[in-house]
Amino acid sequence: MLERVRSPTVSPAIRVRTPREIRSARRPRRHKCWGHLVAATLWPMHDANLGTLLRTCDAVGACLAVPPFGWVDKALARGNTLRQPACVHRVGSPLRWLADERQTGASILGVELADEAIRLADLPPARRRTILVLGHEATGIPPEALDLLDDAVEIPMVGTGSSLNVAVAGSLVLYKLAGLL
């Protein structure tokens, strides 16, 4: 017969915060639109990534801009586990919206493999309103939108894949722009 052996209570080297401690350190309510960072998923390929990216936007205090497709609301709900509504901007015409944002002085930054792109590690935190443009996962940012970008940021990859999904790519760049990495 096997006996359970009880080991003496061991205190772990790393103390994990309790859910209550985590909740008390975060804002208690939905944040208003700060307008500082906006992740613009204007040409999404897969709907499953939008809700996941919305969670990252909430984590860094950013907003999410989405296209006027009928499936977007359902997609946002799929990966979203937030208890409170997040800041979502509905964009009618992506190109016109980007042009208008540029006219108002916002910095327009695209995640794209491009000559002269800024390596993610070298990207400074955003110091003014910044629109982070995330393209279609297979075709990238449309050529007609590339002229509206002020800069491009490249996420280095050493594997054989040609891109990351929009939620992962957007999350990496948003954390860097928010100054949290």
Side-chain angles (χ1 to χ4, degrees), residues 36-168:
H36 180 63
L37 287 176
V38 180
T41 55
L42 305 176
W43 302 276
M45 178 177 175
H46 298 295
D47 60 353
N49 295 316
L50 293 180
T52 302
L53 185 58
L54 185 60
R55 288 172 28 212
T56 298
C57 287
D58 178 73
V60 301
C63 300
L64 183 66
V66 294
F69 305 144
W71 53 263
V72 167
D73 287 334
K74 192 175 188 180
L76 289 171
R78 180 180 294 158
N80 180 9
T81 60
L82 299 172
R83 294 184 185 142
Q84 311 251 346
C87 185
V88 178
H89 298 264
R90 313 291 175 173
V91 174
S93 167
L95 294 175
R96 187 172 346 127
W97 182 76
L98 285 173
D100 290 347
E101 287 293 328
R102 193 167 195 210
Q103 283 288 82
T104 63
S107 174
I108 312 293
L109 179 68
V111 178
E112 194 61 80
L113 300 173
D115 292 339
E116 307 299 321
I118 302 166
R119 276 180 12 105
L120 179 61
D122 299 328
L123 184 66
R127 298 287 179 226
R128 61 183 172 133
R129 180 174 171 88
T130 300
I131 310 298
L132 176 63
V133 180
L134 297 152
H136 187 280
E137 290 164 339
T139 58
I141 298 171
E144 59 272 18
L146 291 174
D147 289 335
L148 297 170
L149 301 180
D150 294 314
D151 282 307
V153 62
E154 178 178 336
I155 300 170
M157 295 174 53
V158 296
T160 59
S162 59
S163 70
L164 297 171
N165 75 43
V166 76
V168 172

